[in-house]
Amino acid sequence: MRNTDIIFRSVEQVELDRNGVLIAMSGGVDSSVAAFLMKSSGYNCHGTTMRLYDHENDSSGLHTCCSEKDFEDAEDCALRLGIPFEVVNYTADFNEKIIEKFIRTYEAGGTPNPCIDCNRYMKFGKLIEFAKRRGLFYICTGHYARIEKRDGRFLLKKAVDAAKDQSYVLYSLTQNQLEHIKFPLGEMTKSEVRALAEQEGFLNAHKHDSQDICFVPDGDYEAFMESYTGKNYPEGDFKFIDGKLAGKHHGAVGYTIGQRRGLGISYSEPVYVLDKDMENNIVYVGTENMLYSTGLIADDVNWIAIEKLTKPLRVTAKTRYRQKEFPAEVVPFENGRFRLDFDEPQRAVTKGQAVVLYQGDIVVGGGTIMEAIGEKK
């Protein structure tokens, strides 16, 4: 297995092979089948795995990505397919772009989505650049989504398998990136993918999908942040919106909007996290009816189906990955931001999460939630 840390040629110096494709191989069944499909279609395939995070000291025993076993499984698949394979080390970039942003967002009172950032900066940022320096026009991943070119514009579309659709976490893709991406699993169901892997004798045909955040496999975000930064996040007050003391929390970074479990607050009805004042180390709580908002403002916006939003547009939207889409109207706002007005109030709209806009199976665009707006009912 060969590790690559430095590529010496600049992108401008390399003529790209339009039949060449870099396969992002995670060691899982999806990327393995994607590689098989591209090879079977006659593409000149090269396999690679990104080393993003070092699990050497992880004793959780939980399945996550970027483990040595994943590297071995990816290499085994590449050998079976007869394609070149190498591991590229991007741990420093991952620390800077993903982990440190994850911590900054929590410390600012938001709830980050590092998987979206990983797609944006690593898989479809660094990896496309790496492919070009290898002289390869495309990269291919095992994501469940589709790309279509229509009227000179690349569209990102939902996968055929609605249960596996990953278009939500891909909303930040640009036109330039979409031109260089292949998603061969977009027309397949997960059961079809596993059946094909078994048919071809892949050892990972029934390997479990990775769960949770790769660098926090046990889900204890606060403990991870304290270990990574050396900080101790202090206890503070739980308060009701009217300022009445509700109890003591164990560090404001460890709570997210809509959270009910683990608060330890005794009240006449269930209590949820509503908001956080990080400057004063206060976590505000209240009843479920207070979680609902009538709209939001988003920044860091990316449009895919349109060049720019110039007037209000009817869409459906999601503010969480597994959420059912809801009808809304998106309105141009100042400084390239947008306002989204919901037809019906939505629950637990959370700063730092992504809001993704759809028209049918097409991703219109999306952005990062700055704040929930409107009367809470």
Side-chain angles (χ1 to χ4, degrees):
M1 188 183 298
R2 184 159 58 93
N3 287 273
T4 301
D5 295 284
I6 301 174
I7 308 301
F8 294 99
R9 294 180 297 172
S10 70
V11 173
E12 292 76 12
Q13 295 174 313
V14 180
E15 183 177 349
L16 301 184
D17 173 10
R18 284 186 167 268
N19 196 49
V21 57
L22 183 73
I23 314 291
M25 304 181 73
S26 67
V29 63
D30 293 329
S31 60
S32 297
V33 170
F36 169 77
L37 292 171
M38 297 304 288
K39 178 74 182 300
S40 300
S41 297
Y43 283 91
N44 173 25
C45 297
H46 295 244
T48 189
T49 296
M50 292 188 293
R51 184 183 294 276
L52 300 177
Y53 185 71
D54 186 1
H55 288 281
E56 204 172 83
N57 299 317
D58 178 23
S59 58
S60 68
L62 300 172
H63 178 66
T64 184
C65 63
C66 297
S67 69
E68 291 301 324
K69 180 64 166 62
D70 292 323
F71 298 153
E72 292 169 5
D73 288 348
E75 185 176 31
D76 177 81
C77 176
L79 289 171
R80 180 176 292 271
L81 293 174
I83 64 176
F85 176 78
E86 57 193 316
V87 175
V88 290
N89 192 333
Y90 287 134
T91 53
D93 297 280
F94 189 78
N95 283 336
E96 177 188 354
K97 292 290 189 179
I98 312 304
I99 296 179
E100 291 176 11
K101 181 181 178 183
F102 173 87
I103 293 170
R104 286 197 307 272
T105 302
Y106 264 119
E107 290 182 340
T111 301
N113 196 322
C115 295
I116 289 177
D117 288 331
C118 187
N119 284 329
R120 181 178 185 176
Y121 296 112
M122 307 308 297
K123 292 185 179 73
F124 301 107
K126 288 290 182 181
L127 211 54
I128 286 180
E129 180 181 286
F130 179 82
K132 289 180 178 179
R133 289 180 175 176
R134 278 285 185 263
L136 308 171
F137 190 85
Y138 293 107
I139 72 163
C140 166
T141 73
H143 283 94
Y144 287 82
R146 294 177 292 162
I147 297 171
E148 176 185 323
K149 190 173 184 181
R150 186 186 302 175
D151 299 326
R153 192 166 188 86
F154 290 94
L155 302 178
L156 176 66
K157 302 175 69 175
K158 296 176 188 175
V160 166
D161 188 342
K164 295 300 296 181
D165 173 56
Q166 293 175 291
S167 60
Y168 176 86
V169 297
L170 298 169
Y171 83 89
S172 64
L173 292 175
T174 66
Q175 288 294 299
N176 182 60
Q177 289 171 334
L178 288 165
E179 182 182 6
H180 293 274
I181 296 170
K182 294 288 187 181
F183 291 142
L185 305 190
E187 302 285 348
M188 301 179 69
T189 65
K190 183 72 175 194
S191 59
E192 290 171 338
V193 169
R194 288 200 184 278
L196 182 55
E198 187 170 10
Q199 174 186 309
E200 295 302 318
F202 291 148
L203 298 179
N204 57 11
H206 297 285
K207 186 176 181 179
H208 291 299
D209 294 336
S210 297
Q211 301 294 325
D212 298 314
I213 296 172
C214 65
F215 53 90
V216 196
D218 63 357
D220 191 341
Y221 304 150
E222 186 173 359
F224 169 79
M225 289 188 285
E226 288 186 337
S227 175
Y228 189 91
T229 64
K231 298 178 182 178
N232 289 313
Y233 297 105
E235 292 186 350
D237 292 334
F238 280 124
K239 288 187 177 182
F240 293 103
I241 293 297
D242 62 7
K244 182 180 177 181
L245 186 66
K248 287 287 186 181
H249 66 69
H250 301 292
V253 295
Y255 301 87
T256 191
I257 307 304
Q259 180 177 338
R260 176 185 174 186
R261 294 183 179 181
L263 303 186
I265 297 173
S266 179
Y267 195 61
S268 58
E269 56 184 301
V271 169
Y272 300 80
V273 173
L274 301 180
D275 200 1
K276 299 194 290 186
D277 178 350
M278 302 304 290
E279 184 176 351
N280 295 299
N281 198 26
I282 299 170
V283 177
Y284 287 100
V285 296
T287 53
E288 184 174 19
N289 64 303
M290 301 177 74
L291 278 172
Y292 288 81
S293 304
T294 59
L296 62 81
I297 295 174
D299 67 354
D300 196 18
V301 173
N302 182 58
W303 299 112
I304 297 178
I306 58 176
E307 181 69 29
K308 182 180 180 182
L309 185 69
T310 58
K311 60 183 180 180
L313 184 68
R314 292 295 301 175
V315 295
T316 57
K318 295 169 68 171
T319 57
R320 295 185 299 279
Y321 186 17
R322 296 301 181 190
Q323 181 184 31
K324 183 179 179 181
E325 292 167 39
F326 56 85
E329 183 172 78
V330 59
V331 180
F333 205 57
E334 58 188 24
N335 300 325
R337 301 166 179 167
F338 66 74
R339 189 184 78 235
L340 189 67
D341 298 325
F342 314 148
D343 286 11
E344 298 290 340
Q346 297 298 313
R347 185 183 185 278
V349 175
T350 304
K351 175 184 174 183
Q353 287 286 288
V355 54
V356 180
L357 313 177
Y358 295 86
Q359 286 187 329
D361 63 354
I362 294 173
V363 177
V364 177
T368 302
I369 298 170
M370 290 180 62
E371 61 176 310
I373 57 174
E375 295 292 329
K376 295 186 176 182
K377 301 179 181 179

